[in-house]
PDB file of all heavy atoms in Angstrom:
ATOM      1  N   ALA B 130       8.682  22.122   2.951  1.00 98.00           N
ATOM      2  CA  ALA B 130      10.042  21.798   3.384  1.00 98.00           C
ATOM      3  C   ALA B 130      10.384  20.369   2.951  1.00 98.00           C
ATOM      4  O   ALA B 130       9.483  19.550   2.748  1.00 98.00           O
ATOM      5  CB  ALA B 130      10.132  21.927   4.905  1.00 98.00           C
ATOM      6  N   GLU B 155      16.440  21.574   9.032  1.00 98.00           N
ATOM      7  CA  GLU B 155      15.745  22.459   8.078  1.00 98.00           C
ATOM      8  C   GLU B 155      14.777  23.382   8.821  1.00 98.00           C
ATOM      9  O   GLU B 155      13.636  23.576   8.394  1.00 98.00           O
ATOM     10  CB  GLU B 155      14.970  21.614   7.060  1.00 98.00           C
ATOM     11  CG  GLU B 155      15.831  20.859   6.081  1.00 98.00           C
ATOM     12  CD  GLU B 155      16.405  21.755   4.982  1.00 98.00           C
ATOM     13  OE1 GLU B 155      15.974  22.922   4.875  1.00 98.00           O
ATOM     14  OE2 GLU B 155      17.285  21.273   4.242  1.00 98.00           O
ATOM     15  N   GLU B 156      15.268  23.949   9.917  1.00 98.00           N
ATOM     16  CA  GLU B 156      14.372  24.733  10.770  1.00 98.00           C
ATOM     17  C   GLU B 156      13.640  25.851  10.039  1.00 98.00           C
ATOM     18  O   GLU B 156      12.440  26.050  10.224  1.00 98.00           O
ATOM     19  CB  GLU B 156      15.160  25.331  11.944  1.00 98.00           C
ATOM     20  CG  GLU B 156      15.272  24.379  13.114  1.00 98.00           C
ATOM     21  CD  GLU B 156      15.978  25.011  14.308  1.00 98.00           C
ATOM     22  OE1 GLU B 156      15.635  26.160  14.629  1.00 98.00           O
ATOM     23  OE2 GLU B 156      16.855  24.353  14.885  1.00 98.00           O
ATOM     24  N   THR B 157      14.387  26.594   9.210  1.00 98.00           N
ATOM     25  CA  THR B 157      13.773  27.730   8.515  1.00 98.00           C
ATOM     26  C   THR B 157      12.682  27.261   7.562  1.00 98.00           C
ATOM     27  O   THR B 157      11.566  27.788   7.555  1.00 98.00           O
ATOM     28  CB  THR B 157      14.852  28.515   7.738  1.00 98.00           C
ATOM     29  OG1 THR B 157      15.944  28.760   8.633  1.00 98.00           O
ATOM     30  CG2 THR B 157      14.318  29.824   7.214  1.00 98.00           C
ATOM     31  N   ALA B 158      12.998  26.238   6.765  1.00 98.00           N
ATOM     32  CA  ALA B 158      12.000  25.713   5.816  1.00 98.00           C
ATOM     33  C   ALA B 158      10.828  25.091   6.569  1.00 98.00           C
ATOM     34  O   ALA B 158       9.665  25.259   6.162  1.00 98.00           O
ATOM     35  CB  ALA B 158      12.652  24.685   4.893  1.00 98.00           C
ATOM     36  N   ASN B 159      11.109  24.378   7.657  1.00 98.00           N
ATOM     37  CA  ASN B 159      10.030  23.755   8.430  1.00 98.00           C
ATOM     38  C   ASN B 159       9.051  24.794   8.973  1.00 98.00           C
ATOM     39  O   ASN B 159       7.839  24.552   9.036  1.00 98.00           O
ATOM     40  CB  ASN B 159      10.603  22.938   9.594  1.00 98.00           C
ATOM     41  CG  ASN B 159      11.326  21.680   9.127  1.00 98.00           C
ATOM     42  OD1 ASN B 159      11.206  21.281   7.963  1.00 98.00           O
ATOM     43  ND2 ASN B 159      12.090  21.070  10.021  1.00 98.00           N
ATOM     44  N   ALA B 160       9.601  25.969   9.350  1.00 98.00           N
ATOM     45  CA  ALA B 160       8.752  27.023   9.915  1.00 98.00           C
ATOM     46  C   ALA B 160       7.749  27.548   8.885  1.00 98.00           C
ATOM     47  O   ALA B 160       6.703  28.083   9.248  1.00 98.00           O
ATOM     48  CB  ALA B 160       9.619  28.163  10.446  1.00 98.00           C
ATOM     49  N   GLN B 161       8.065  27.378   7.589  1.00 96.00           N
ATOM     50  CA  GLN B 161       7.184  27.867   6.509  1.00 96.00           C
ATOM     51  C   GLN B 161       6.279  26.756   5.968  1.00 96.00           C
ATOM     52  O   GLN B 161       5.464  27.011   5.082  1.00 96.00           O
ATOM     53  CB  GLN B 161       8.041  28.372   5.331  1.00 96.00           C
ATOM     54  CG  GLN B 161       9.172  29.309   5.699  1.00 96.00           C
ATOM     55  CD  GLN B 161       8.666  30.686   6.016  1.00 96.00           C
ATOM     56  OE1 GLN B 161       7.701  31.135   5.414  1.00 96.00           O
ATOM     57  NE2 GLN B 161       9.290  31.351   6.973  1.00 96.00           N
ATOM     58  N   ASP B 162       6.449  25.546   6.430  1.00 97.00           N
ATOM     59  CA  ASP B 162       5.769  24.411   5.780  1.00 97.00           C
ATOM     60  C   ASP B 162       4.278  24.373   6.134  1.00 97.00           C
ATOM     61  O   ASP B 162       3.912  24.410   7.311  1.00 97.00           O
ATOM     62  CB  ASP B 162       6.429  23.097   6.205  1.00 97.00           C
ATOM     63  CG  ASP B 162       5.810  21.909   5.498  1.00 97.00           C
ATOM     64  OD1 ASP B 162       6.281  21.582   4.395  1.00 97.00           O
ATOM     65  OD2 ASP B 162       4.832  21.338   6.026  1.00 97.00           O
ATOM     66  N   PRO B 163       3.397  24.279   5.111  1.00 96.00           N
ATOM     67  CA  PRO B 163       1.951  24.331   5.378  1.00 96.00           C
ATOM     68  C   PRO B 163       1.403  23.104   6.116  1.00 96.00           C
ATOM     69  O   PRO B 163       0.367  23.208   6.783  1.00 96.00           O
ATOM     70  CB  PRO B 163       1.333  24.447   3.978  1.00 96.00           C
ATOM     71  CG  PRO B 163       2.370  23.924   3.037  1.00 96.00           C
ATOM     72  CD  PRO B 163       3.701  24.191   3.661  1.00 96.00           C
ATOM     73  N   LEU B 165       3.251  21.106   8.395  1.00 98.00           N
ATOM     74  CA  LEU B 165       3.700  21.227   9.787  1.00 98.00           C
ATOM     75  C   LEU B 165       2.885  22.294  10.520  1.00 98.00           C
ATOM     76  O   LEU B 165       2.634  22.171  11.730  1.00 98.00           O
ATOM     77  CB  LEU B 165       5.190  21.586   9.841  1.00 98.00           C
ATOM     78  CG  LEU B 165       6.155  20.444   9.495  1.00 98.00           C
ATOM     79  CD1 LEU B 165       7.591  20.954   9.461  1.00 98.00           C
ATOM     80  CD2 LEU B 165       6.016  19.294  10.492  1.00 98.00           C
ATOM     81  N   ALA B 166       2.443  23.303   9.783  1.00 97.00           N
ATOM     82  CA  ALA B 166       1.662  24.376  10.399  1.00 97.00           C
ATOM     83  C   ALA B 166       0.342  23.858  10.972  1.00 97.00           C
ATOM     84  O   ALA B 166      -0.221  24.466  11.882  1.00 97.00           O
ATOM     85  CB  ALA B 166       1.386  25.477   9.374  1.00 97.00           C
ATOM     86  N   ARG B 169       1.355  22.111  14.425  1.00 97.00           N
ATOM     87  CA  ARG B 169       1.970  22.977  15.442  1.00 97.00           C
ATOM     88  C   ARG B 169       0.998  23.401  16.539  1.00 97.00           C
ATOM     89  O   ARG B 169       1.307  23.219  17.724  1.00 97.00           O
ATOM     90  CB  ARG B 169       2.605  24.194  14.745  1.00 97.00           C
ATOM     91  CG  ARG B 169       3.548  25.012  15.632  1.00 97.00           C
ATOM     92  CD  ARG B 169       4.330  26.013  14.787  1.00 97.00           C
ATOM     93  NE  ARG B 169       5.113  25.332  13.749  1.00 97.00           N
ATOM     94  CZ  ARG B 169       5.154  25.721  12.467  1.00 97.00           C
ATOM     95  NH1 ARG B 169       4.471  26.761  12.059  1.00 97.00           N
ATOM     96  NH2 ARG B 169       5.882  25.049  11.599  1.00 97.00           N
ATOM     97  N   GLU B 174       3.962  18.893  16.453  1.00 98.00           N
ATOM     98  CA  GLU B 174       4.880  19.054  15.314  1.00 98.00           C
ATOM     99  C   GLU B 174       6.133  18.183  15.464  1.00 98.00           C
ATOM    100  O   GLU B 174       6.619  17.603  14.481  1.00 98.00           O
ATOM    101  CB  GLU B 174       5.277  20.535  15.203  1.00 98.00           C
ATOM    102  CG  GLU B 174       6.191  20.833  14.036  1.00 98.00           C
ATOM    103  CD  GLU B 174       6.631  22.298  14.011  1.00 98.00           C
ATOM    104  OE1 GLU B 174       6.256  23.052  14.934  1.00 98.00           O
ATOM    105  OE2 GLU B 174       7.364  22.676  13.088  1.00 98.00           O
TER     106      GLU B 174
END
Side-chain angles (χ1 to χ4, degrees):
Chain B
E155 290 284 350
E156 274 184 45
T157 311
N159 290 347
Q161 312 284 326
D162 183 88
L165 286 175
R169 193 169 301 134
E174 182 183 3

